[in-house]
Amino acid sequence: MMIDFLADYYQNVANYPVLSEVEPGYLGKLLPTSAPLNPESIETILQDLEQHIIPGITHWQSPNYFAYFPCSGSNAGFLGEMLSTGLNVVGFNWVSSPAATELESTVMDWLGQVLKLPKTFLFSGSGGGVLLGTTCEAILGTLVAARDQKLSQIGRENIGKLIVYGSDQTHCAVQKAAHIIGIPPKNFRVIKTNKSTSFSLLPESLLSTIQSDVQNGLVPCYLCVTVGTTSTTAIDPVGPLCKVAKDYGMWVHVDAAYAGSACICPEFRHLIDGVEDADSFSLNAHKWFLTNLDCCCLWVKDPTSLIKSLSTNSVYLENSASESKQVVDYKDWQITLSRRFRALKVWLVLRSYGVANLTNFLRNHVEMAKTFEELVKQDKRFEVVVPRTLAVVCFRILPSAVAKITNGRVQNGDSKTEDVANEINRKLLNSINGSGTVYMTHAIVGGIFMIRCAIGATLTEETHVIMAWKVVQKHADAILNY
């Protein structure tokens, strides 16, 4: 019955308004104020699910979903999740479920090999990989290791001197992680990027910032290099940034949460050139690798650094396998103790699709993005704001098109044309999303409000992409009075 429900959902998911149309607090008015005393039938529960829950869902699996980044699922990922949930093992150390640990180590080496990661990141070399929930966990874990490594050199009393580096495009998870582990917010360096370099973090900008900190008696600790930023999918130059950081003994983490999956394609592997000089590397398989949420893949060169910072050795966890030092205890590679059997999902995806089909899946989305990009360029009212790297197109109505509807004048006497263009583009996005037909999100970079079309939903085909552009044009026509 549940499988039938989900099958019907996917059959009809394209017909739902992509963005939920409910108002805040809607569900409290529909559900009882207390839990039932007696059991209810699954039929009754599913009826409530369809009537009350589904309307409050934003449909991430819709082929018309183009917001944020994709959360691509698949039959293989679903089955792996079902197996994991059904078996319900808690593989915090090897002895608690040997297969869970060993399958995870195996698939992390498989995927690392497909990505052509250096052997120093693999169990078959001197490193290793772990499956976590999200990139936030990967950043927090590696930042703890970097902190402890540096404090062992300069003394724990000097934590206030540690500096963490990122750009103004780095994910907010880094600042949050730094705050959690006791590094003051003032010790996080947000290095400015600009449009002329596609919002990538420049090595010379990093170097000058580090030099200034060192002159002031501060201690560089951690750098987050991003391959595929959230706003525009900007690509930071991994190799050159690693070289700068290594001159100062910093831990370098490469966050490829979105773009990392694409690096299994030979034509995109260059995006992570230089990763051999980093200390850790992560990607989210649940974003663009057909692996249902949640699944973040983290590789580290020196697992001992992670284990030193995150290990737990309570008496009730003691066992001969752990004491032999011949096994992996993944509890010591993560923040939490308990963990899910995520490896089943990755195993099923890799085996059910094969690397050849996975690369085709990714390439198809990139080709669809090229189609959307070309459609934007053909309409002279619009511009592609930043160069497209993979499958995200950032676009907007041009200020010149806005000027036409104001007779060449801005609407408010003290406002700039760019400000008015930003407001018009914000209005356009709200109108598009309000239609329920498609869902896109925005970014503001360099003072420019842009609309992001992120193509990557599993069910999306070229027809959906072309339709999405027609929706954009229709709403632009109405706003621009065409």
Side-chain angles (χ1 to χ4, degrees):
M1 182 181 295
M2 195 69 74
I3 298 295
D4 288 341
F5 179 88
L6 286 171
D8 289 343
Y9 170 77
Y10 276 94
Q11 187 71 32
N12 297 298
V13 68
N15 300 324
Y16 291 109
V18 189
L19 179 63
S20 174
E21 298 174 335
V22 301
E23 296 293 330
Y26 89 100
L27 196 56
K29 301 171 185 176
L30 299 173
L31 298 182
T33 55
S34 59
L37 180 63
N38 297 309
E40 298 181 63
S41 69
I42 191 65
E43 289 86 357
T44 300
I45 297 169
L46 284 177
Q47 186 177 16
D48 283 351
L49 177 67
E50 188 158 13
Q51 292 179 356
H52 303 324
I53 305 301
I54 295 296
I57 289 177
T58 291
H59 300 281
W60 287 66
Q61 302 310 311
S62 170
N64 303 313
Y65 180 95
F66 303 103
Y68 304 109
F69 280 131
C71 183
S72 64
S74 65
N75 289 340
F78 172 79
L79 291 173
E81 182 70 27
M82 188 165 66
L83 284 170
S84 175
T85 302
L87 295 172
N88 205 30
V89 301
V90 186
F92 47 77
N93 59 11
W94 181 88
V95 74
S96 67
S97 272
T101 294
E102 297 196 10
L103 184 61
E104 186 161 334
S105 299
T106 297
V107 298
M108 287 303 287
D109 264 18
W110 280 8
L111 187 51
Q113 290 162 9
V114 173
L115 287 161
K116 291 184 169 52
L117 292 182
K119 262 205 160 186
T120 48
F121 279 107
L122 308 182
F123 286 107
S124 57
S126 54
V130 58
L131 293 173
L132 304 171
T134 68
T135 295
C136 298
E137 295 172 53
I139 289 171
L140 182 57
T142 54
L143 188 50
V144 168
R147 177 201 65 184
D148 291 352
Q149 196 175 74
K150 190 62 71 175
L151 291 180
S152 70
Q153 300 166 8
I154 66 171
R156 299 197 71 84
E157 69 277 7
N158 288 310
I159 187 172
K161 294 183 178 181
L162 298 184
I163 305 296
V164 176
Y165 299 85
S167 79
D168 54 8
Q169 303 304 307
T170 300
H171 197 279
C172 59
V174 182
Q175 288 177 277
K176 185 174 184 179
H179 178 67
I180 289 171
I181 69 165
I183 294 177
K186 66 182 177 62
N187 286 22
F188 184 86
R189 297 290 178 264
V190 180
I191 302 171
K192 187 174 177 56
T193 62
N194 57 69
K195 188 178 179 183
S196 65
T197 54
S198 299
F199 300 105
S200 296
L201 174 57
L202 298 179
E204 49 267 37
S205 298
L206 173 65
L207 178 59
S208 63
T209 306
I210 292 174
Q211 289 174 335
S212 174
D213 285 330
V214 171
Q215 288 169 5
N216 289 317
L218 301 173
V219 181
C221 177
Y222 184 97
L223 167 67
C224 183
V225 177
T226 308
V227 179
T229 59
T230 301
S231 292
T232 65
T233 65
I235 308 295
D236 291 340
V238 178
L241 289 169
C242 283
K243 186 177 185 306
V244 171
K246 287 307 165 185
D247 286 343
Y248 293 88
M250 297 167 61
W251 183 295
V252 179
H253 177 71
V254 177
D255 170 16
Y258 163 69
S261 296
C263 294
I264 71 167
C265 303
E267 64 269 32
F268 300 126
R269 174 56 179 76
H270 69 277
L271 298 177
I272 57 171
D273 281 355
V275 70
E276 62 273 9
D277 294 321
D279 296 280
S280 51
F281 172 84
S282 64
L283 66 83
N284 283 351
H286 60 244
K287 272 190 170 67
W288 202 17
F289 205 70
L290 292 170
T291 305
N292 293 46
L293 194 72
D294 55 9
C295 190
C296 171
C297 307
L298 168 68
W299 290 268
V300 290
K301 261 188 185 173
D302 180 18
T304 305
S305 298
L306 211 57
I307 292 166
K308 278 182 181 177
S309 295
L310 301 175
S311 62
T312 47
N313 298 300
S314 299
V315 172
Y316 50 80
L317 296 174
E318 291 177 357
N319 64 88
S320 58
S322 295
E323 290 165 5
S324 75
K325 306 297 182 183
Q326 300 299 307
V327 299
V328 174
D329 286 342
Y330 273 126
K331 68 181 176 60
D332 300 330
W333 293 54
Q334 61 178 32
I335 304 299
T336 62
L337 176 65
S338 298
R339 61 198 323 274
R340 303 176 65 243
F341 196 171
R342 294 187 181 93
L344 283 169
K345 293 186 286 192
V346 182
W347 191 50
L348 262 73
V349 167
L350 285 170
R351 293 189 64 185
S352 298
Y353 286 91
V355 175
N357 283 328
L358 287 167
T359 55
N360 288 336
F361 168 77
L362 294 159
R363 285 168 176 152
N364 285 340
H365 283 144
V366 173
E367 289 303 314
M368 290 183 218
K370 288 179 182 178
T371 297
F372 190 90
E373 178 185 39
E374 189 55 38
L375 290 170
V376 174
K377 289 178 176 178
Q378 288 172 10
D379 191 325
K380 300 308 178 185
R381 300 172 298 175
F382 289 84
E383 71 166 339
V384 175
V385 181
V386 293
R388 179 198 52 77
T389 305
L390 293 166
V392 176
V393 181
C394 299
F395 67 99
R396 67 166 179 166
I397 295 175
L398 281 163
S400 57
V402 172
K404 288 182 180 178
I405 64 171
T406 60
N407 295 319
R409 295 175 287 102
V410 292
Q411 291 173 323
N412 299 315
D414 58 348
S415 295
K416 297 177 181 178
T417 305
E418 283 286 355
D419 293 335
V420 178
N422 286 347
E423 285 307 307
I424 290 294
N425 280 287
R426 188 185 295 274
K427 184 177 179 181
L428 173 61
L429 179 61
N430 290 338
S431 181
I432 291 166
N433 291 338
S435 73
T437 313
V438 299
Y439 180 34
M440 298 179 187
T441 46
H442 74 280
I444 300 176
V445 182
I448 296 173
F449 182 100
M450 62 187 78
I451 301 172
R452 297 169 69 262
C453 178
I455 297 165
T458 307
L459 299 176
T460 299
E461 297 177 356
E462 189 174 77
T463 53
H464 300 107
V465 172
I466 294 170
M467 180 276 292
W469 176 243
K470 289 180 179 177
V471 170
V472 171
Q473 286 187 309
K474 175 185 175 183
H475 289 267
D477 289 346
I479 289 171
L480 298 175
N481 301 317
Y482 274 73

